[in-house]
Amino acid sequence: MDEDMLRCVTEQGFAARTLPLPLYVRAHAEVLVPAADAGERLDLRAADIPLLDVAVAADRRGALRQLVERAAVLRILRSGHGSLHDPRDPGGDARDDGPPAAGAGDSHDEAVARAIYQELACRRTEAGIEKGTLITGRDQADGPGGVALRGVDGRIDCYLLGETAGVPAVGAVLRLDRLERPLCAVVCDLWERRGVERAVQAVLREFVVTTLPRREGTDRAPFPYGDFHDVVAVGETDFATLTPRPPRDETGELRDRLRLHGHRASVRVLGPADRTALVACRLEPTAKSEATANSEPVKRPTTDTEDDWRPRDVATLGLRAPRQLSLTYERDDVRIGRVYHENSKMRTAYGTLPVVDIAEMSPPARRLLGQAYRDFGHARRQYPMRPAGEPRLLTLDQVVRRRRSWAAMGDGELTRAELAHLLTLSYGTTGAAVAGQDLRLPLRATPSAGGLYSSDLFVLVDRVTGVEPGLYYFHPGKRLLQLVDDERTLAEVAEYTGYRERAGEAAAMVVYVGAFRRNQWKYRERGYRTVLLDCGHLAQSVVTAATSLGLVAHPMIAFVDDYFNAYVGVDGVEDAVLYLTLLGPRRTGDEAA
């Protein structure tokens, strides 16, 4: 259904893009932009994108519906006339007194009703002070659809502001301590509860607009809803007493009330009826007014020029997109990732994860949990990684301040003792946990989901004293380097990274391999997340340990996956290379890097 609304925007010659909102604003925002800025492409220039209008609603569909309506108004303005006169009808009324309101909906009647509400709100006289009845019995920061603002020092108050042409008006006032003035919005709606929700969204839209960067030489953006400067509460009413639901024949009721107050709605269909209905509407006085004494007739502001009456010309917003909006991407580029993330969410109500009770597992199965490693026991070369003595380490404060990925590496070697300390401090066994009467699970220096240790460390050695060049596996239980491959040099492997020259400077390269089967039996789809998290924990431990030893550690994700998977000997499906870290001695005299 969102696609129908989006298509209706593009068919009018514009485009819609999602606007990221601060997390404390609980709503969805879309912006209307020129068609040329439709694609959310990567734009390294961070070029300005003019925002023609902003829409805020509870969800994307609601925001797109507003953009459909504002696009229609803008199209009418750009056509050079604002009347509903059909140019094909030479006898039609060509009177032009500003653009009409537009309405979009799933049906013709819904679109007409929304257009009438928009027209009433736009034509409401802007007054210095409004008198209204405060709506109580609800959190003033909440809308019926959910929280509007969360954790902010302020509030949103809603008021009943009487009637406009027989239709109830609802105003919302947003007061924040850091705002120079309150932000206000008024909407018209027969269903007062829906009016509260729309008013809250309208004032949030005003708030969002005030936070957007503005092009030089432009004033504050005009507001497409009726505005007021202040409100005086003349009473209170409980939210629960508001109109419970709209009339069954909402459009008919609206027309009856308009007729009673001396107006009629002139409607013109703008969009195809087989999809989203789109209409334009203007209120015109009837020949005989039957307004009652307690009604407030719709007034046209007294102005000197016709341009002043063009009520809300969206072409004059004068806003530009935040810089990050032009550094986005096509949704299809990340569709698989989004599908994965959705399917890897934990939903306890559906029992998505199996219940694992280690005590009920068989002894062989329990022992298997403690063997989260590979073993290249028949390798023709193995090097013990059990360093003697205590290494001289930097303090944590020094490590944090000194760590730099791009710190200059020297052309010297790492020592075997340094490599042994690094591997032991980052992934060595540091203790054991008792699991049942017959099992002691090894604990390591790095955290892991469920203690399953789904990452393996391989080290490609180039310049390490006492260790011949080659690719080795670090066995954390035996604390051994076990040879895997010695046919390729680090310089050859560096060709398949994104930073060939930088990789060529390293004395060694750590290769992290994720073993998905090792934990997906327990965490299933969510297990992919835990493998990546385990790898991240381990990589940070390697970087921290290396820096504490006075070495340079440069994490790197720029590599050709298939090449590295084949090089290590994994299939890239059940097991895959996930990350790299370059290791090297710090260049002498580069202490400040």
Side-chain angles (χ1 to χ4, degrees):
M1 298 295 288
D2 291 356
E3 297 305 317
D4 288 343
M5 290 291 179
L6 190 59
R7 188 183 303 111
C8 200
V9 172
T10 58
E11 287 176 348
Q12 297 186 82
F14 303 98
R17 292 177 62 166
T18 299
L19 178 68
L21 293 179
L23 293 180
Y24 56 82
V25 180
R26 304 302 298 269
H28 185 91
E30 294 281 331
V31 293
L32 189 69
V33 298
D37 295 297
E40 295 188 1
R41 62 193 181 279
L42 180 64
D43 183 359
L44 297 180
R45 301 169 303 165
D48 282 348
I49 297 176
L51 303 189
L52 306 178
D53 201 11
V54 179
V56 175
D59 52 31
R60 184 169 185 248
R61 178 171 176 76
L64 287 174
R65 184 194 334 236
Q66 293 180 28
L67 287 194
V68 170
E69 295 166 348
R70 300 305 295 160
V73 174
L74 181 54
R75 186 177 59 165
I76 292 172
L77 285 171
R78 289 184 172 179
S79 69
H81 63 82
S83 73
L84 296 186
H85 166 59
D86 188 338
R88 294 171 299 180
D89 179 10
D93 181 11
R95 181 175 58 86
D96 181 1
D97 56 356
D106 295 330
S107 66
H108 175 79
D109 283 351
E110 181 185 5
V112 170
R114 286 183 59 87
I116 292 175
Y117 291 143
Q118 295 283 357
E119 179 79 344
L120 289 173
C122 288
R123 292 203 173 195
R124 186 179 176 89
T125 302
E126 295 184 2
I129 297 178
E130 283 272 9
K131 294 182 180 180
T133 302
L134 179 65
I135 300 173
T136 61
R138 51 179 289 277
D139 186 335
Q140 297 302 304
D142 290 358
V147 176
L149 293 174
R150 178 181 63 178
V152 299
D153 190 12
R155 57 190 289 118
I156 297 176
D157 293 314
C158 293
Y159 300 85
L160 290 178
L161 302 176
E163 295 183 344
T164 298
V167 177
V170 178
V173 181
L174 170 59
R175 298 181 177 92
L176 295 176
D177 290 349
R178 293 178 176 83
L179 287 179
E180 295 181 0
R181 63 176 182 85
L183 301 178
C184 311
V186 59
V187 301
C188 296
D189 203 305
L190 285 178
W191 187 11
E192 293 169 346
R193 294 193 185 190
R194 183 175 60 192
V196 170
E197 180 178 0
R198 291 180 55 225
V200 168
Q201 294 169 3
V203 81
L204 284 178
R205 185 263 186 194
E206 174 75 342
F207 173 68
V208 170
V209 166
T210 63
T211 65
L212 291 173
R214 198 171 309 283
R215 295 197 295 270
E216 295 183 4
T218 60
D219 298 326
R220 187 177 76 90
F223 196 40
Y225 303 93
D227 200 358
F228 52 92
H229 302 156
D230 202 356
V231 62
V232 175
V234 296
E236 295 182 356
T237 187
D238 193 280
F239 179 78
T241 66
L242 300 182
T243 311
R245 62 185 61 86
R248 180 172 298 179
D249 181 10
E250 187 173 4
T251 307
E253 177 69 19
L254 275 173
R255 283 174 169 149
D256 288 345
R257 295 199 184 192
L258 291 175
R259 187 182 307 110
L260 181 64
H261 291 81
H263 292 83
R264 64 182 178 88
S266 177
V267 175
R268 177 180 170 186
V269 176
L270 300 178
D274 58 335
R275 294 197 303 270
T276 300
L278 177 62
V279 303
C281 172
R282 186 189 303 284
L283 299 185
E284 300 174 348
T286 57
K288 179 180 179 181
S289 173
E290 302 177 20
T292 57
N294 64 352
S295 67
E296 296 180 7
V298 178
K299 302 176 182 178
R300 170 171 172 168
T302 302
T303 58
D304 296 328
T305 67
E306 185 67 22
D307 286 340
D308 291 336
W309 164 233
R310 290 188 169 236
R312 310 291 176 211
D313 185 346
V314 292
T316 62
L317 270 176
L319 300 176
R320 59 179 174 81
R323 292 295 185 183
Q324 67 269 23
L325 189 60
S326 62
L327 293 172
T328 51
Y329 43 79
E330 296 287 351
R331 291 178 182 272
D332 285 345
D333 293 341
V334 293
R335 185 178 300 277
I336 294 175
R338 292 183 177 185
V339 171
Y340 157 70
H341 189 77
E342 182 64 28
N343 284 280
S344 66
K345 289 180 179 177
M346 185 177 291
R347 297 178 174 87
T348 56
Y350 301 106
T352 53
L353 298 181
V355 178
V356 176
D357 187 345
I358 294 179
E360 294 183 359
M361 298 173 67
S362 66
R366 289 202 298 271
R367 285 192 292 273
L368 185 63
L369 295 180
Q371 299 173 1
Y373 46 74
R374 305 170 194 269
D375 195 343
F376 294 81
H378 298 287
R380 66 175 183 272
R381 286 203 302 267
Q382 299 190 52
Y383 296 94
M385 290 285 110
R386 296 179 180 270
E390 296 293 330
R392 295 183 59 184
L393 303 177
L394 300 177
T395 66
L396 179 60
D397 181 79
Q398 291 172 316
V399 169
V400 172
R401 296 178 183 277
R402 194 178 188 186
R403 190 218 65 78
R404 294 292 184 273
S405 297
W406 281 91
M409 294 182 185
D411 55 5
E413 297 180 333
L414 301 182
T415 68
R416 180 170 164 180
E418 287 173 331
L419 183 58
H421 281 307
L422 185 153
L423 295 174
T424 300
L425 290 173
S426 58
Y427 216 32
T429 300
T430 57
V434 177
Q437 298 180 352
D438 60 342
L439 177 63
R440 291 175 63 84
L441 291 176
L443 301 177
R444 301 190 197 174
T446 294
S448 173
L452 300 175
Y453 298 102
S454 60
S455 293
D456 288 308
L457 277 185
F458 292 76
V459 183
L460 174 54
V461 171
D462 186 59
R463 304 189 312 275
V464 178
T465 57
V467 180
E468 295 186 42
L471 177 69
Y472 294 84
Y473 173 70
F474 174 60
H475 192 301
K478 298 178 181 179
R479 295 194 184 182
L480 290 174
L481 279 186
Q482 300 173 325
L483 180 65
V484 177
D485 182 282
D486 61 356
E487 296 182 356
R488 290 179 241 194
T489 66
L490 189 147
E492 293 172 328
V493 173
E495 295 287 338
Y496 293 88
T497 70
Y499 300 95
R500 180 188 61 186
E501 293 183 1
R502 176 64 170 174
E505 297 174 359
M509 175 190 293
V510 179
V511 181
Y512 307 84
V513 173
F516 300 112
R517 289 177 63 92
R518 205 173 287 169
N519 78 0
Q520 285 185 324
W521 66 268
K522 179 177 180 180
Y523 296 110
R524 299 193 179 174
E525 287 286 24
R526 196 171 180 84
Y528 187 73
R529 288 201 206 189
T530 66
V531 172
L532 298 183
L533 291 171
D534 283 359
C535 181
H537 294 319
L538 177 54
Q540 182 60 36
S541 293
V542 169
V543 169
T544 303
T547 308
S548 70
L549 290 164
L551 308 176
V552 176
H554 186 161
M556 181 182 296
I557 198 172
F559 60 88
V560 179
D561 290 71
D562 290 343
Y563 174 85
F564 273 83
N565 287 331
Y567 176 46
V568 172
V570 295
D571 62 7
V573 179
E574 300 290 354
D575 308 275
V577 175
L578 301 177
Y579 207 21
L580 309 175
T581 297
L582 307 177
L583 299 175
R586 186 177 289 265
R587 188 168 61 191
T588 304
D590 194 41
E591 302 300 319

